[in-house]
Amino acid sequence: MLTNEICHLRAVDPEDLEYIYELENNPALWEFGHTITPYSKFTIREYLENAHRDIYEVKQLRLAICNLKKEIKGVVDLYDFDPFHKRAGVGIVISQESDRARGLATAALELIIEYSFKHLRLHQLYASISEDNTSSRRLFEKLRFRESGIKKDWIATETAYKNEHLYQLINEK
């Protein structure tokens, strides 16, 4: 099990339907995941029913971030999984503002890094983070991700374009 002194990561379950539905349909989070439309409960139910499929088959993995009371507080995703080049993108969200800045995201990201490098034997993880998402940028930098580029005018908002920063963590072992 993926556990440390602050949290544990587990597979998402059909019982997580309401949580995932609320998370995916929160317009305040859409910009971070490049989502522009809501998801139906039917679509999320189908996703959850197939979430057990192997990362090598579906090229992605979503894990629930739970506190030590086993309450789901967020999710961490591996996406664009490429076993040939041994890399994957990583994204993380703690859904409630009141649960942020308490070490949960750091602890969860540490667990997914360890899992990615030791068990999946990846060479690198990367993250794409909006220029104004300073808390996420600090989180990834704290865990040794290094900025390797900027995608100019990458994210369209209602009023302007924003740059997106590309961060990489290379497995040196």
Side-chain angles (χ1 to χ4, degrees), residues 87-115:
R87 66 178 175 236
V90 62
I92 189 166
V93 64
I94 304 298
S95 56
Q96 298 297 316
E97 188 77 35
S98 60
D99 291 321
R100 295 179 191 156
R102 296 177 178 262
L104 205 53
T106 300
L109 198 53
E110 288 172 339
L111 288 171
I112 201 69
I113 290 167
E114 181 179 359
Y115 173 77

Side-chain angles (χ1 to χ4, degrees), residues 14-167:
E15 292 78 28
D16 297 324
L17 174 66
E18 288 300 322
Y19 180 85
I20 301 296
Y21 178 77
E22 294 295 322
L23 183 72
E24 293 293 349
N25 288 297
N26 181 347
L29 300 175
W30 286 357
E31 177 185 312
F32 305 112
H34 303 289
T35 301
I36 57 172
T37 58
Y39 287 94
S40 69
K41 282 190 179 180
F42 174 80
T43 301
I44 294 172
R45 186 177 295 112
E46 281 196 335
Y47 165 77
L48 290 172
E49 288 171 0
N50 289 292
H52 66 281
R53 292 172 59 198
D54 190 87
I55 188 172
Y56 287 90
E57 178 185 356
V58 296
K59 308 297 186 224
Q60 64 182 14
L61 174 67
R62 171 168 278 184
L63 297 173
I65 302 168
C66 298
N67 63 13
L68 297 180
K69 297 177 185 176
K70 300 187 179 186
E71 301 165 323
I72 187 170
K73 297 297 182 177
V75 294
V76 61
D77 295 317
L78 292 178
Y79 60 92
D80 291 342
F81 175 69
D82 186 333
F84 180 80
H85 295 290
K86 300 185 180 296
R87 66 178 175 236
V90 62
I92 189 166
V93 64
I94 304 298
S95 56
Q96 298 297 316
E97 188 77 35
S98 60
D99 291 321
R100 295 179 191 156
R102 296 177 178 262
L104 205 53
T106 300
L109 198 53
E110 288 172 339
L111 288 171
I112 201 69
I113 290 167
E114 181 179 359
Y115 173 77
S116 297
F117 289 169
K118 286 186 179 176
H119 297 285
L120 297 176
R121 295 187 175 108
L122 295 182
H123 175 63
Q124 69 175 284
L125 291 171
Y126 68 90
S128 297
I129 306 170
S130 173
E131 66 187 343
D132 58 347
N133 190 348
T134 55
S135 59
S136 285
R137 291 177 61 200
R138 280 194 307 269
L139 167 67
F140 281 83
E141 289 169 357
K142 177 169 62 172
L143 293 175
R144 302 178 335 275
F145 280 75
R146 296 295 168 243
E147 187 175 317
S148 60
I150 298 174
K151 297 179 242 177
K152 300 287 186 183
D153 290 347
W154 199 254
I155 302 168
T157 68
E158 290 181 19
T159 58
Y161 286 91
K162 291 189 216 176
N163 298 334
E164 186 172 80
H165 295 248
L166 177 63
Y167 285 86

